[in-house]
PDB file of all heavy atoms in Angstrom:
ATOM      1  N   ILE A 496     -18.918 -22.949  16.575  1.00  0.00           N
ATOM      2  CA  ILE A 496     -19.089 -24.310  17.082  1.00  0.00           C
ATOM      3  C   ILE A 496     -18.275 -24.425  18.361  1.00  0.00           C
ATOM      4  O   ILE A 496     -17.089 -24.131  18.378  1.00  0.00           O
ATOM      5  CB  ILE A 496     -18.595 -25.366  16.048  1.00  0.00           C
ATOM      6  CG1 ILE A 496     -19.314 -25.196  14.706  1.00  0.00           C
ATOM      7  CG2 ILE A 496     -18.792 -26.762  16.598  1.00  0.00           C
ATOM      8  CD1 ILE A 496     -18.790 -26.120  13.624  1.00  0.00           C
ATOM      9  N   SER A 497     -18.927 -24.869  19.406  1.00  0.00           N
ATOM     10  CA  SER A 497     -18.237 -25.028  20.692  1.00  0.00           C
ATOM     11  C   SER A 497     -17.278 -26.198  20.640  1.00  0.00           C
ATOM     12  O   SER A 497     -17.400 -27.066  19.762  1.00  0.00           O
ATOM     13  CB  SER A 497     -19.266 -25.238  21.808  1.00  0.00           C
ATOM     14  OG  SER A 497     -19.794 -26.564  21.735  1.00  0.00           O
ATOM     15  N   PRO A 498     -16.354 -26.308  21.577  1.00  0.00           N
ATOM     16  CA  PRO A 498     -15.561 -27.534  21.706  1.00  0.00           C
ATOM     17  C   PRO A 498     -16.490 -28.701  22.055  1.00  0.00           C
ATOM     18  O   PRO A 498     -17.654 -28.514  22.450  1.00  0.00           O
ATOM     19  CB  PRO A 498     -14.579 -27.224  22.841  1.00  0.00           C
ATOM     20  CG  PRO A 498     -14.560 -25.726  22.930  1.00  0.00           C
ATOM     21  CD  PRO A 498     -15.926 -25.278  22.519  1.00  0.00           C
ATOM     22  N   LEU A 499     -15.989 -29.903  21.902  1.00  0.00           N
ATOM     23  CA  LEU A 499     -16.738 -31.087  22.304  1.00  0.00           C
ATOM     24  C   LEU A 499     -17.036 -31.010  23.805  1.00  0.00           C
ATOM     25  O   LEU A 499     -16.148 -30.744  24.620  1.00  0.00           O
ATOM     26  CB  LEU A 499     -15.946 -32.340  21.985  1.00  0.00           C
ATOM     27  CG  LEU A 499     -15.780 -32.637  20.476  1.00  0.00           C
ATOM     28  CD1 LEU A 499     -14.706 -33.708  20.282  1.00  0.00           C
ATOM     29  CD2 LEU A 499     -17.107 -33.094  19.883  1.00  0.00           C
ATOM     30  N   ARG A 500     -18.297 -31.277  24.152  1.00  0.00           N
ATOM     31  CA  ARG A 500     -18.703 -31.198  25.536  1.00  0.00           C
ATOM     32  C   ARG A 500     -19.273 -32.535  26.003  1.00  0.00           C
ATOM     33  O   ARG A 500     -19.904 -33.274  25.228  1.00  0.00           O
ATOM     34  CB  ARG A 500     -19.764 -30.101  25.746  1.00  0.00           C
ATOM     35  CG  ARG A 500     -19.287 -28.710  25.342  1.00  0.00           C
ATOM     36  CD  ARG A 500     -20.322 -27.662  25.767  1.00  0.00           C
ATOM     37  NE  ARG A 500     -19.984 -26.338  25.238  1.00  0.00           N
ATOM     38  CZ  ARG A 500     -19.107 -25.525  25.808  1.00  0.00           C
ATOM     39  NH1 ARG A 500     -18.424 -25.895  26.875  1.00  0.00           N
ATOM     40  NH2 ARG A 500     -18.854 -24.325  25.261  1.00  0.00           N
ATOM     41  N   THR A 501     -19.080 -32.836  27.285  1.00  0.00           N
ATOM     42  CA  THR A 501     -19.638 -34.055  27.864  1.00  0.00           C
ATOM     43  C   THR A 501     -21.093 -33.834  28.220  1.00  0.00           C
ATOM     44  O   THR A 501     -21.641 -32.735  28.083  1.00  0.00           O
ATOM     45  CB  THR A 501     -18.845 -34.481  29.099  1.00  0.00           C
ATOM     46  OG1 THR A 501     -18.868 -33.384  30.037  1.00  0.00           O
ATOM     47  CG2 THR A 501     -17.376 -34.770  28.745  1.00  0.00           C
ATOM     48  N   ALA A 502     -21.747 -34.907  28.693  1.00  0.00           N
ATOM     49  CA  ALA A 502     -23.177 -34.810  28.980  1.00  0.00           C
ATOM     50  C   ALA A 502     -23.505 -33.744  30.015  1.00  0.00           C
ATOM     51  O   ALA A 502     -24.591 -33.150  30.012  1.00  0.00           O
ATOM     52  CB  ALA A 502     -23.694 -36.174  29.442  1.00  0.00           C
ATOM     53  N   ASP A 503     -22.581 -33.470  30.940  1.00  0.00           N
ATOM     54  CA  ASP A 503     -22.834 -32.457  31.989  1.00  0.00           C
ATOM     55  C   ASP A 503     -22.450 -31.044  31.552  1.00  0.00           C
ATOM     56  O   ASP A 503     -22.461 -30.098  32.334  1.00  0.00           O
ATOM     57  CB  ASP A 503     -22.091 -32.822  33.266  1.00  0.00           C
ATOM     58  CG  ASP A 503     -20.586 -32.919  33.075  1.00  0.00           C
ATOM     59  OD1 ASP A 503     -20.098 -32.645  31.963  1.00  0.00           O
ATOM     60  OD2 ASP A 503     -19.890 -33.287  34.055  1.00  0.00           O
ATOM     61  N   GLY A 504     -22.086 -30.870  30.283  1.00  0.00           N
ATOM     62  CA  GLY A 504     -21.802 -29.549  29.741  1.00  0.00           C
ATOM     63  C   GLY A 504     -20.363 -29.110  29.837  1.00  0.00           C
ATOM     64  O   GLY A 504     -20.006 -28.012  29.362  1.00  0.00           O
ATOM     65  N   ARG A 505     -19.501 -29.940  30.413  1.00  0.00           N
ATOM     66  CA  ARG A 505     -18.098 -29.558  30.539  1.00  0.00           C
ATOM     67  C   ARG A 505     -17.360 -29.895  29.234  1.00  0.00           C
ATOM     68  O   ARG A 505     -17.727 -30.803  28.499  1.00  0.00           O
ATOM     69  CB  ARG A 505     -17.447 -30.312  31.685  1.00  0.00           C
ATOM     70  CG  ARG A 505     -18.030 -29.975  33.057  1.00  0.00           C
ATOM     71  CD  ARG A 505     -17.312 -30.729  34.152  1.00  0.00           C
ATOM     72  NE  ARG A 505     -17.877 -30.423  35.476  1.00  0.00           N
ATOM     73  CZ  ARG A 505     -17.425 -30.952  36.601  1.00  0.00           C
ATOM     74  NH1 ARG A 505     -16.436 -31.827  36.569  1.00  0.00           N
ATOM     75  NH2 ARG A 505     -17.987 -30.629  37.757  1.00  0.00           N
ATOM     76  N   GLN A 506     -16.297 -29.142  29.001  1.00  0.00           N
ATOM     77  CA  GLN A 506     -15.492 -29.420  27.806  1.00  0.00           C
ATOM     78  C   GLN A 506     -14.750 -30.742  27.981  1.00  0.00           C
ATOM     79  O   GLN A 506     -14.196 -31.040  29.055  1.00  0.00           O
ATOM     80  CB  GLN A 506     -14.465 -28.286  27.598  1.00  0.00           C
ATOM     81  CG  GLN A 506     -13.572 -28.510  26.373  1.00  0.00           C
ATOM     82  CD  GLN A 506     -12.689 -27.310  26.116  1.00  0.00           C
ATOM     83  OE1 GLN A 506     -13.137 -26.169  26.198  1.00  0.00           O
ATOM     84  NE2 GLN A 506     -11.420 -27.552  25.801  1.00  0.00           N
ATOM     85  N   LEU A 507     -14.753 -31.556  26.933  1.00  0.00           N
ATOM     86  CA  LEU A 507     -14.012 -32.828  26.962  1.00  0.00           C
ATOM     87  C   LEU A 507     -12.533 -32.553  27.212  1.00  0.00           C
ATOM     88  O   LEU A 507     -11.966 -31.638  26.624  1.00  0.00           O
ATOM     89  CB  LEU A 507     -14.208 -33.548  25.632  1.00  0.00           C
ATOM     90  CG  LEU A 507     -13.511 -34.918  25.465  1.00  0.00           C
ATOM     91  CD1 LEU A 507     -14.123 -35.936  26.425  1.00  0.00           C
ATOM     92  CD2 LEU A 507     -13.594 -35.384  24.016  1.00  0.00           C
ATOM     93  N   SER A 508     -11.939 -33.327  28.084  1.00  0.00           N
ATOM     94  CA  SER A 508     -10.544 -33.098  28.394  1.00  0.00           C
ATOM     95  C   SER A 508      -9.655 -33.431  27.204  1.00  0.00           C
ATOM     96  O   SER A 508      -9.989 -34.260  26.348  1.00  0.00           O
ATOM     97  CB  SER A 508     -10.114 -33.981  29.589  1.00  0.00           C
ATOM     98  OG  SER A 508     -10.114 -35.349  29.193  1.00  0.00           O
ATOM     99  N   ASP A 509      -8.536 -32.706  27.133  1.00  0.00           N
ATOM    100  CA  ASP A 509      -7.577 -32.955  26.051  1.00  0.00           C
ATOM    101  C   ASP A 509      -7.085 -34.411  26.070  1.00  0.00           C
ATOM    102  O   ASP A 509      -6.834 -35.005  25.005  1.00  0.00           O
ATOM    103  CB  ASP A 509      -6.380 -31.997  26.166  1.00  0.00           C
ATOM    104  CG  ASP A 509      -6.783 -30.545  25.882  1.00  0.00           C
ATOM    105  OD1 ASP A 509      -7.942 -30.325  25.502  1.00  0.00           O
ATOM    106  OD2 ASP A 509      -5.921 -29.667  26.039  1.00  0.00           O
ATOM    107  N   ALA A 510      -6.910 -34.944  27.266  1.00  0.00           N
ATOM    108  CA  ALA A 510      -6.407 -36.304  27.386  1.00  0.00           C
ATOM    109  C   ALA A 510      -7.395 -37.314  26.810  1.00  0.00           C
ATOM    110  O   ALA A 510      -7.012 -38.233  26.041  1.00  0.00           O
ATOM    111  CB  ALA A 510      -6.105 -36.631  28.845  1.00  0.00           C
ATOM    112  N   ALA A 511      -8.669 -37.160  27.152  1.00  0.00           N
ATOM    113  CA  ALA A 511      -9.683 -38.092  26.629  1.00  0.00           C
ATOM    114  C   ALA A 511      -9.810 -37.948  25.127  1.00  0.00           C
ATOM    115  O   ALA A 511      -9.950 -38.967  24.391  1.00  0.00           O
ATOM    116  CB  ALA A 511     -11.023 -37.845  27.312  1.00  0.00           C
ATOM    117  N   PHE A 512      -9.801 -36.719  24.652  1.00  0.00           N
ATOM    118  CA  PHE A 512      -9.858 -36.506  23.194  1.00  0.00           C
ATOM    119  C   PHE A 512      -8.643 -37.102  22.506  1.00  0.00           C
ATOM    120  O   PHE A 512      -8.760 -37.776  21.451  1.00  0.00           O
ATOM    121  CB  PHE A 512      -9.964 -35.017  22.888  1.00  0.00           C
ATOM    122  CG  PHE A 512      -9.953 -34.706  21.422  1.00  0.00           C
ATOM    123  CD1 PHE A 512     -11.079 -34.931  20.655  1.00  0.00           C
ATOM    124  CD2 PHE A 512      -8.811 -34.192  20.802  1.00  0.00           C
ATOM    125  CE1 PHE A 512     -11.080 -34.646  19.288  1.00  0.00           C
ATOM    126  CE2 PHE A 512      -8.814 -33.921  19.446  1.00  0.00           C
ATOM    127  CZ  PHE A 512      -9.951 -34.147  18.680  1.00  0.00           C
TER     128      PHE A 512
END
Side-chain angles (χ1 to χ4, degrees):
I496 304 175
S497 74
L499 292 166
R500 301 188 187 280
T501 58
D503 59 3
R505 297 181 180 180
Q506 180 175 317
L507 180 66
S508 68
D509 292 355
F512 176 76

